[in-house]
């Protein structure tokens, strides 16, 4: 039995999986079981932030695993405290953090904080959470309902929890706020929905409006966070101060961890929320190491150099294939190419794969590029060279 047959027979069929069998990785390069190399412009959907096979991260994880992997959240967890302090310091906000294991769970935590806030701080309970069309907030029953894409709201999973509605754009958010609204939950750059950054001014106005009304702004930074945007948080780039921020993907460099942070530190009390695994020794230690690596990478100027170089190459290829693409979208190392024809999206990804470069889709017509943040110049050059060969077959 091949592994691919084993996968088909024993793993539930939820992914339209490519059956390539990767064996090893080095920064932004992956090797399959035949030794063929691929340039990775996906980093596991924005997760492998410090690259594959990162020696420092591997050493930290091994060292931690030899001492303690897990006790439980009923005892002090030294690396969890350190990681929370580090996240708060890097964010520049006066906040405190709760750790879970994924993005969806981080958003669940955010919604729980908002709902309790809405009960405690107002005479009439406020509980409604407003989101945006083309957003993505997770796969649990609640976060899938918060996700503003009808295709995710399958009737066979119903009934969904009440109190969620999504709207066409930021302007429509203002019109949909009522007496029962407690929070607006948004991504600053929609990831899965198509790499759609919002305008800074529009977001700043929304932030001020909500603050004046005493309502909460929740920013889902599961994809944009941890330097993906070029700053520690996209929130820092947009110069706003949300009430609640969620993180996950890039935080553990591939070790599962999610986080929700808020300035409303008095809302949760013992018993309100919890997680068996969240922020355990292993994942928190990984998070600490990832942040140390990326903080010095950013401070050395290397991160800014990488994303400027990546941007130049991306603009070049968009220009060269202007018959295929409408242009470049996104920021930092969260980038996209907008396909003129949506039918080109999956073909381009397949062709790129055949030419040895991994790219993602987003929305209906976007090719999404989320390389490891530590990608080097040679890997960027090689990846774009391969994309060039792949795209030339589409013309
Ligand atoms: C990936 C993602 C999620 C869900 O994260 P999981 O770890 O898969 O639960 C939520 N929000 C955004 C913006 C994401 O990109």
């Amino acid at each position: 039995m091949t592994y691919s047959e084993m996968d088909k027979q024993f793993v539930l069929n939820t992914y339209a999986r490519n059956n390539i069998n990767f064996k090893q990785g080095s920064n932004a390069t992956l090797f399959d079981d035949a030794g063929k190399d691929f340039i990775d412009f996906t980093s596991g959907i924005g997760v492998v932030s410090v690259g594959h096979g990162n020696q420092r991260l591997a050493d930290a994880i091994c060292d931690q695993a030899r001492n303690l992997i897990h006790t439980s959240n009923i005892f002090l967890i030294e690396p969890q405290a350190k990681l929370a302090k580090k996240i708060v310091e890097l964010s520049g906000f006066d906040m405190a953090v709760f750790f879970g294991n994924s993005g969806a769970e981080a958003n669940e935590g955010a919604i729980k904080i908002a709902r309790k806030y809405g009960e405690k701080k107002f005479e009439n309970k406020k509980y409604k959470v407003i989101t945006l069309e083309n957003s993505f907030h997770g796969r649990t029953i609640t976060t899938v309902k918060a996700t503003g894409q009808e295709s995710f709201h399958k009737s066979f999973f119903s009934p969904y929890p009440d109190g969620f509605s999504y709207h066409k754009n930021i302007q429509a958010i203002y019109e949909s706020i009522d007496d029962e609204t407690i929070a607006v939950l948004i991504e600053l750059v929609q990831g899965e929905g198509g790499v759609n950054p919002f305008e800074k001014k529009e977001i700043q106005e929304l932030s001020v409006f909500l603050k004046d009304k005493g309502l909460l702004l929740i920013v889902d930074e599961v994809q944009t966070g941890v330097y993906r945007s070029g700053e520690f948080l996209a929130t820092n780039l947009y110069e706003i101060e949300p009430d609640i921020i969620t993180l996950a993907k890039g935080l553990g460099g591939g070790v599962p961890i999610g986080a929700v942070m808020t300035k409303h530190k008095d809302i949760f009390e013992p018993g309100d929320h919890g997680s068996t695994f969240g922020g355990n020794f292993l994942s928190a230690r990984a998070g600490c190491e990832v942040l140390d690596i990326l903080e010095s990478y950013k401070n050395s100027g290397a991160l800014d150099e990488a994303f400027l170089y990546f941007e130049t190459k991306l603009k070049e290829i968009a220009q060269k294939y202007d018959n295929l693409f409408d242009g470049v979208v996104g920021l930092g190392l969260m980038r996209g190419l907008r396909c003129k024809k949506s039918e080109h999206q999956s073909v381009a990804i397949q062709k790129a794969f055949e030419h040895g470069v991994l790219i993602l889709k987003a929305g209906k017509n976007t090719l999404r590029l989320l390389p490891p943040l530590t990608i080097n110049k040679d890997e960027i050059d090689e990846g774009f060279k391969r994309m060039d060969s792949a795209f030339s077959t589409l013309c």
Side-chain angles (χ1 to χ4, degrees):
M1 190 186 254
T2 65
Y3 288 112
S4 149
E5 285 162 353
M6 207 183 283
D7 175 87
K8 277 230 154 35
Q9 187 171 339
F10 296 107
V11 178
L12 283 176
N13 186 25
T14 62
Y15 302 102
R17 214 166 233 165
N18 173 331
N19 277 315
I20 183 141
N21 186 2
F22 290 119
K23 286 290 200 186
Q24 206 215 321
S26 168
N27 205 26
T29 311
L30 280 167
F31 301 91
D32 73 3
D33 52 0
K36 182 171 157 45
D37 61 284
F38 293 80
I39 300 297
D40 183 9
F41 282 176
T42 74
S43 63
I45 319 193
V47 167
V48 187
S49 48
V50 296
H52 299 284
N54 185 293
Q55 199 59 54
R56 272 185 65 183
L57 179 58
D59 287 346
I61 291 170
C62 290
D63 175 66
Q64 189 59 56
R66 274 187 213 99
N67 290 298
L68 271 179
I69 291 177
H70 185 95
T71 54
S72 90
N73 275 307
I74 61 177
F75 302 112
L76 175 71
I77 300 169
E78 200 178 288
Q80 184 182 122
K82 278 164 92 174
L83 180 59
K85 177 168 183 278
K86 190 78 195 169
I87 289 172
V88 168
E89 282 171 0
L90 290 172
S91 77
F93 299 132
D94 180 15
M95 292 189 173
V97 190
F98 172 89
F99 292 102
N101 312 283
S102 67
E105 234 187 309
N107 286 333
E108 290 270 351
I111 292 162
K112 282 176 82 171
I113 293 168
R115 287 233 172 135
K116 187 169 178 197
Y117 185 94
E119 165 98 25
K120 288 260 156 197
K121 305 275 176 179
F122 300 91
E123 231 150 74
N124 299 318
K125 180 177 168 69
K126 295 182 190 286
Y127 67 98
K128 290 180 182 167
V129 176
I130 292 176
T131 62
L132 278 175
E133 197 168 291
N134 295 320
S135 60
F136 183 80
H137 299 298
R139 296 286 199 158
T140 61
I141 294 274
T142 297
T143 56
V144 90
K145 182 62 182 167
T147 291
Q149 301 186 49
E150 212 47 48
S151 59
F152 283 88
H153 302 170
K154 304 247 168 65
S155 66
F156 41 72
F157 296 133
S158 67
Y160 292 97
D162 286 338
F164 294 91
S165 62
Y166 66 88
H167 302 275
K168 199 151 195 62
N169 49 38
I170 302 225
Q171 216 42 52
I173 289 180
Y174 293 107
E175 290 149 26
S176 56
I177 290 174
D178 66 25
D179 299 352
E180 292 174 322
T181 302
I182 186 57
V184 171
L185 163 61
I186 49 167
E187 297 155 89
L188 298 176
V189 185
Q190 292 181 331
E192 308 299 313
V195 193
N196 312 314
F198 290 98
E199 268 182 46
K200 187 169 173 177
K201 194 160 155 283
E202 207 177 16
I203 295 290
Q204 289 181 336
E205 281 168 8
L206 176 68
S207 169
V208 169
F209 176 86
L210 293 172
K211 197 160 282 165
D212 286 350
K213 289 252 183 281
L215 305 181
L216 305 180
L217 176 62
I218 309 172
V219 178
D220 178 346
E221 292 234 30
V222 168
Q223 192 160 153
T224 53
V226 194
Y227 294 103
R228 181 59 61 187
S229 71
E231 297 299 326
F232 176 60
L233 299 174
T235 298
N236 301 133
L237 197 66
Y238 278 71
E239 297 177 290
I240 53 167
E241 192 184 328
D243 295 275
I244 305 172
I245 300 168
T246 57
L247 297 173
K249 288 192 165 89
L251 184 56
V255 179
I257 187 166
V260 53
M261 59 199 289
T262 180
K263 62 183 180 194
H264 304 291
K265 301 182 209 172
D266 59 340
I267 291 296
F268 275 164
E269 295 165 74
D272 281 343
H273 198 38
S275 163
T276 296
F277 296 114
N280 78 6
F281 280 87
L282 190 74
S283 64
R285 175 74 184 272
C288 288
E289 197 63 29
V290 165
L291 293 188
D292 278 351
I293 294 167
L294 292 178
E295 185 188 19
S296 28
Y297 204 68
K298 167 76 181 172
N299 290 343
S300 73
L303 180 64
D304 292 350
E305 249 173 65
F307 82 68
L308 286 174
Y309 191 65
F310 198 88
E311 178 173 59
T312 308
K313 300 298 273 186
L314 189 62
K315 283 183 173 157
E316 270 171 30
I317 209 163
Q319 186 73 44
K320 178 163 179 189
Y321 293 98
D322 63 355
N323 53 331
L324 295 175
F325 303 114
D326 269 334
V328 168
V329 287
L331 41 80
L333 281 174
M334 181 171 179
R335 295 286 181 166
L337 285 165
R338 210 67 103 202
C339 298
K340 285 203 153 106
K341 294 195 182 131
S342 58
E343 59 266 34
H344 274 146
Q345 188 192 39
S346 53
V347 193
I349 291 170
Q350 177 58 28
K351 287 287 172 205
F353 174 72
E354 288 164 14
H355 285 81
V357 56
L358 308 175
I359 59 179
L360 294 160
K361 69 180 172 115
K364 289 188 171 59
N365 62 353
T366 304
L367 305 181
R368 182 171 37 154
L369 308 163
L370 293 174
L373 302 177
T374 52
I375 191 167
N376 63 44
K377 203 161 169 282
D378 290 345
E379 289 167 326
I380 296 175
D381 284 339
E382 186 60 30
F384 278 99
K385 204 173 102 193
R386 294 178 186 192
M387 278 211 297
D388 191 342
S389 319
F391 296 159
S392 69
T393 67
L394 294 176
C395 299

